[in-house]
Amino acid sequence: MALLEVRHLTTVFRTPFGAVRACDDVSFDVAPGEVLGIVGESGSGKTLTALSVLGLVPPPGRIEAGSIRFAGEELVGTPEARLRRLRGRDIGMVFQDAGRALDPVHTIASQLREAAGKRADVAALLGRVGLDGRLASRYPHELSGGQRQRAMIAIAIARTPRLVIADEPTTAVDSISQVQVLHELARIQRELGCALIVISHNLGLISRLADRVLVMYLGRVMEQNAVRPFVAGPRHPYARALLAATPALDLDRRTGRLAGIRGLPARMIEVPPGCPFHPRCPDAEARCSVEVPAWRAHADGSGAACHLLDAPAPLPSPVTPGQAQGERFAPAPPAAEIADGTLP
């Protein structure tokens, strides 16, 4: 039985200019202990999907259709008081920008105790994410970007939730801190045995951290697949284009060139008819501009929404071989190893 079951989720923002379907018929499952990566360009609906699960969709947005079941309990239409009890205790959230998510006028210790209880061992909680307990008395602005992000993770796991959602957990930190934060996330997920949803633009990150990948575009799910077959040969043209535009660590900079995705995503209020990706798709046919492609599921649990699933040959993936194997992050190496380039 899945821990989280999302079925036909439709989250809509009613504006004076028209309706914006931030999540358009989104469906997916997350099993206990599984890591699901959600990828896509900005504006694809990744964050709104996470906020919908938590019941935190900002007004004027609202869930207008669909079902969200957590551990068998329906969350759509659940009273706010019940959702508040679920947040933190059963579902933890690592927000995109820890600098904004943390309260600037309260110490880290105060915010951890608010999340975990007044008697919480703050030093132990910080130690779980690799931070010195002495940082507990500091305010968010006194921490580095990586330290703030780790503090945010400590708050999210304070009550040992069954599901953690990490929204772009490395956005506001430098490259060295990114690697360290991701190692911490992977380690914590293994230790807690919790399910983890990671939202990211970084396909290299997702290929090393996740078990499965969900690809979104303009509020819709384009493809979902296990990591290894996804990296080896994604089915949807948009997924292939994302991989082709991903820098590889071993890319020959003298001759290698990234294949950019032509054009720009449409505005959410002006989603084109048919397949939303068809104006940018190099393989689009006439029917792609008028017919919404049906979801085609496969026996292995993967699937994609495309009229041309068998037509184009997969593009070679620039993701490195270690990533293609879906290898999980090992325990975090010392910062010195990352800085001197010895990290594999």
Side-chain angles (χ1 to χ4, degrees):
M1 177 181 177
L3 177 65
L4 178 68
E5 300 173 86
V6 178
R7 294 289 181 271
H8 308 295
L9 172 66
T10 302
T11 301
V12 182
F13 288 75
R14 301 286 175 181
T15 76
F17 306 100
V20 175
R21 299 170 75 88
C23 299
D24 191 354
D25 197 28
V26 172
S27 296
F28 63 91
D29 291 341
V30 182
E34 182 182 28
V35 181
L36 175 70
I38 303 181
V39 301
E41 293 170 284
S42 296
S44 61
K46 307 184 299 297
T47 296
L48 260 298
T49 298
L51 294 179
S52 297
V53 170
L54 289 163
L56 293 175
V57 178
R62 61 187 299 266
I63 297 174
E64 294 199 350
S67 168
I68 302 172
R69 299 185 69 84
F70 178 76
E73 179 182 357
E74 178 60 58
L75 301 186
V76 176
T78 297
E80 176 62 23
R82 172 57 181 155
L83 290 175
R84 281 199 299 268
R85 289 195 295 271
L86 284 172
R87 297 181 198 127
R89 189 187 69 181
D90 294 296
I91 306 176
M93 179 72 180
V94 180
F95 290 95
Q96 187 170 135
D97 187 347
R100 294 184 178 182
L102 294 171
D103 192 327
V105 301
H106 290 282
T107 64
I108 298 301
S110 174
Q111 296 181 63
L112 276 169
R113 290 193 180 99
E114 182 180 2
K118 293 182 179 180
R119 298 183 179 180
D121 187 339
V122 171
L125 286 172
L126 291 176
R128 290 175 75 178
V129 296
L131 289 179
D132 191 320
R134 290 174 292 183
L135 296 178
S137 61
R138 296 188 182 181
Y139 292 87
H141 73 273
E142 297 179 294
L143 305 182
S144 68
Q147 289 172 335
R148 284 196 295 266
Q149 199 63 48
R150 291 180 186 222
M152 188 78 252
I153 295 172
I155 291 172
I157 66 168
R159 291 184 180 267
T160 316
R162 301 167 68 183
L163 170 66
V164 175
I165 303 175
D167 184 10
E168 296 284 1
T170 61
T171 294
V173 297
D174 59 77
S175 57
I176 293 177
S177 297
Q178 285 180 16
V179 175
Q180 293 175 328
V181 167
L182 293 175
H183 277 279
E184 292 297 341
L185 267 178
R187 179 184 60 78
I188 289 167
Q189 186 272 333
R190 289 194 299 268
E191 290 179 358
L192 298 183
C194 62
L196 175 64
I197 297 176
V198 181
I199 298 169
S200 180
H201 293 86
N202 189 330
L203 287 173
L205 176 164
I206 293 297
S207 70
R208 294 293 297 272
L209 187 61
D211 298 305
R212 285 189 304 116
V213 182
L214 192 77
V215 182
M216 295 188 67
Y217 185 74
L218 292 180
R220 300 183 194 176
V221 177
M222 299 285 101
E223 178 174 345
Q224 63 172 307
N225 208 339
V227 162
R228 294 187 184 185
F230 174 79
V231 172
R235 293 188 171 98
H236 198 283
Y238 177 59
R240 289 199 294 272
L242 284 178
L243 276 176
T246 301
L249 295 178
D250 57 357
L251 184 67
D252 185 348
R253 302 285 179 187
R254 293 171 296 178
T255 59
R257 297 178 65 88
L258 293 179
I261 306 175
R262 68 180 185 182
L264 295 172
R267 296 194 304 166
M268 291 291 288
I269 204 167
E270 297 175 342
V271 176
C275 174
F277 185 60
H278 84 262
R280 307 173 69 193
C281 180
D283 305 306
E285 297 180 349
R287 61 174 175 167
C288 298
S289 64
V290 292
E291 297 178 20
V292 177
W295 181 261
R296 298 186 184 183
H298 297 262
D300 60 1
S302 65
C306 181
H307 294 303
L308 309 168
L309 283 179
D310 302 321
L315 294 172
S317 168
V319 177
T320 61
Q323 294 168 334
Q325 296 171 7
E327 298 171 353
R328 292 293 187 84
F329 277 107
E337 293 185 13
I338 301 172
D340 67 14
T342 58
L343 180 68

